[in-house]
Amino acid sequence: MSTETTKKTVVVVGGGSVGAGIAKSLSAQLDPSKHRFVMVTASEKYVHLPGTIRTVTTAEGELEKRVFIPYGDFLKGKGEIKHGEVASFTARSGGKGTVNLASGESLEYDVLVLATGSKWPGPFELPTGGEKLQSHIDSWRAKIEKAQSIVLVGAGAVGIEFAGEISDFYKGKNVSIVHNGRLPLNDVYPDRLRNGLLTKLQRRNVNVVLNDRLDDYTPSEDGTVTLRSGKVLNADLVIPTVGGTPNTAFIKASLGEDVLTASNYVKVLPTFQLPSHANIFAAGDIIEWKEQKQAAKAAGHASVVVKNVLSVLKGQSPSAQYKGSYEIMVITVGREGGAGYFGVLWGLIFGDWFARMLKSRGLMIEMTKGNFGF
């Protein structure tokens, strides 16, 4: 029997903030003579999501050259990166399973980690790379530049940041946000933060419509849209900014609908294991956990997953448990403003200077490259 066939194989599916974080930490702790490590990602490059809003808004600075980051040898020779989409996978009780790529290639695994993140609508439904990706970016830049009246649907973090970018780079445009809540963001966050962001948007002449919905995203021939309340807004372009949905269709197809909630999130134990599959883990945006879906949670998820995968490889019962994380968020409002929130003590709120220093100007690109070693 060859050495390769006796090695235990760990496969991580997903190369975003959680998947790449797990891959970097876990591969560094595995012995290549005993283990094979593979990260499978559909994207040709790491997608730095916080930078994509500005990237699709303007060609200024050619951000696509910095926001889509080559993985390079960030695993330091201790693992493989395979670029491809996972079509399905099999799970065998107490034994090896198989990951099947859309290309036809198959990978056997002893431990599988699922970290496929969210699927995003509209501008953020990004092709995996190459000319299609650039064409997608160019197309949205042209739509935004051409439109005089833009309606954003959803005033969560994405909608707020998008409104900030458009109002920053195209000061003459009529920008509206339609949100179904009483204030921007959701009730997890304090009203002081939410009112502050509302004021920042209104100072930029962004029309924020609260407690209302838009059902039909296609503007009428006269260049308007009608909200559920009957209110009419001018709109040459409607951009969905309602947030992502879990990228779990292939998991449901592989393991059945019982592993997911009604909202298509993966059910997990506090160890991040799937309840009926001790050698399969899930983490990041795809899991059912009472917390906001944010990249800030990545390190906490990765730490628990890595410890428990190492335990499984040693034949031990995983003992590390995820106990949640405090909420932390930095939202940009253009290149010079925004707000930060840390859900500790009484809830710490920071203003423009903090957002500008940490995120608004540089979009945390260099920080991310440094953290991952890209």
Side-chain angles (χ1 to χ4, degrees):
M1 185 178 291
S2 69
T3 303
E4 287 296 318
T5 57
T6 58
K7 288 183 179 181
K8 290 187 175 181
T9 300
V10 179
V11 175
V12 172
V13 180
S17 58
V18 176
I22 292 170
K24 179 176 174 62
S25 178
L26 185 54
S27 62
Q29 298 181 59
L30 296 178
D31 182 349
S33 69
K34 298 178 180 178
H35 304 101
R36 181 190 181 197
F37 181 86
V38 184
M39 184 184 85
V40 181
T41 174
S43 180
E44 292 178 6
K45 298 179 179 180
Y46 178 86
V47 180
H48 179 57
L49 284 172
T52 56
I53 298 174
R54 189 172 298 168
T55 301
V56 299
T57 301
T58 178
E60 186 174 317
E62 295 182 301
L63 278 172
E64 63 270 33
K65 294 181 179 179
R66 301 176 59 223
V67 165
F68 301 98
I69 307 168
Y71 286 102
D73 185 29
F74 90 109
L75 299 181
K76 307 301 181 187
K78 299 192 72 175
E80 308 164 44
I81 301 174
K82 288 190 177 291
H83 299 281
E85 184 176 347
V86 173
S88 65
F89 62 92
T90 63
R92 302 186 186 98
S93 179
K96 291 179 178 290
T98 304
V99 174
N100 303 305
L101 305 187
S103 65
E105 183 180 1
S106 295
L107 298 167
E108 276 199 339
Y109 69 85
D110 294 275
V111 179
L112 177 64
V113 181
L114 304 169
T116 44
S118 296
K119 295 177 75 70
W120 299 85
F124 314 111
E125 192 175 358
L126 299 167
T128 56
E131 293 181 2
K132 289 184 178 180
L133 175 59
Q134 188 63 55
S135 294
H136 176 88
I137 294 168
D138 292 342
S139 172
W140 275 99
R141 287 171 176 170
K143 290 177 185 178
I144 292 169
E145 184 175 10
K146 179 181 178 182
Q148 288 304 307
S149 296
I150 300 173
V151 173
L152 306 172
V153 184
V158 174
I160 293 169
E161 293 198 351
F162 219 143
E165 298 298 339
I166 295 172
S167 63
D168 211 9
F169 288 97
Y170 299 101
K171 298 188 185 303
K173 293 188 183 298
N174 174 23
V175 181
S176 298
I177 304 183
V178 180
H179 187 60
N180 63 4
R182 60 186 180 85
L183 287 170
L185 301 179
N186 60 42
D187 290 340
V188 166
Y189 302 101
D191 282 4
R192 182 181 162 212
L193 171 70
R194 300 167 74 187
N195 277 311
L197 288 165
L198 176 61
T199 299
K200 291 177 191 294
L201 291 171
Q202 290 171 336
R203 284 175 178 167
R204 289 171 166 263
N205 296 316
V206 175
N207 176 32
V208 183
V209 182
L210 300 170
N211 293 313
D212 213 337
R213 293 176 182 267
L214 177 61
D215 298 311
D216 186 353
Y217 289 13
T218 304
S220 63
E221 290 184 2
D222 64 352
T224 63
V225 291
T226 303
L227 308 185
R228 193 175 291 184
S229 67
K231 184 180 180 69
V232 177
L233 298 176
N234 291 327
D236 304 313
L237 176 66
V238 176
I239 303 176
T241 54
V242 291
T245 55
N247 183 14
T248 56
F250 78 102
I251 300 174
K252 180 178 180 178
S254 300
L255 297 180
E257 62 183 14
D258 290 346
V259 301
L260 304 183
T261 67
S263 301
N264 294 317
Y265 291 99
V266 182
K267 301 172 187 175
V268 293
L269 302 172
T271 56
F272 287 130
Q273 292 167 291
L274 273 61
S276 299
H277 303 278
N279 65 332
I280 301 179
F281 295 78
D285 284 1
I286 64 172
I287 69 166
E288 174 65 19
W289 201 273
K290 192 176 180 180
E291 64 182 9
Q292 298 299 288
K293 307 298 183 186
Q294 296 170 332
K297 308 297 192 310
H301 287 206
S303 175
V304 172
V305 170
V306 169
K307 290 175 183 175
N308 288 334
V309 168
L310 292 172
S311 293
V312 169
L313 291 172
K314 294 173 184 175
Q316 301 170 354
S317 296
S319 59
Q321 296 195 356
Y322 185 64
K323 303 183 186 303
S325 172
Y326 60 82
E327 296 300 335
I328 177 173
M329 178 171 58
V330 181
I331 293 184
T332 69
V333 183
R335 288 168 288 184
E336 298 294 328
Y341 174 74
F342 292 79
V344 296
L345 302 176
W346 53 87
L348 304 178
I349 298 173
F350 300 90
D352 290 329
W353 67 271
F354 181 84
R356 180 169 58 247
M357 176 184 67
L358 193 63
K359 184 179 179 183
S360 301
R361 285 184 177 174
L363 298 172
M364 306 173 81
I365 295 171
E366 295 307 315
M367 181 189 299
T368 297
K369 289 171 68 175
N371 288 344
F372 285 107
F374 291 142

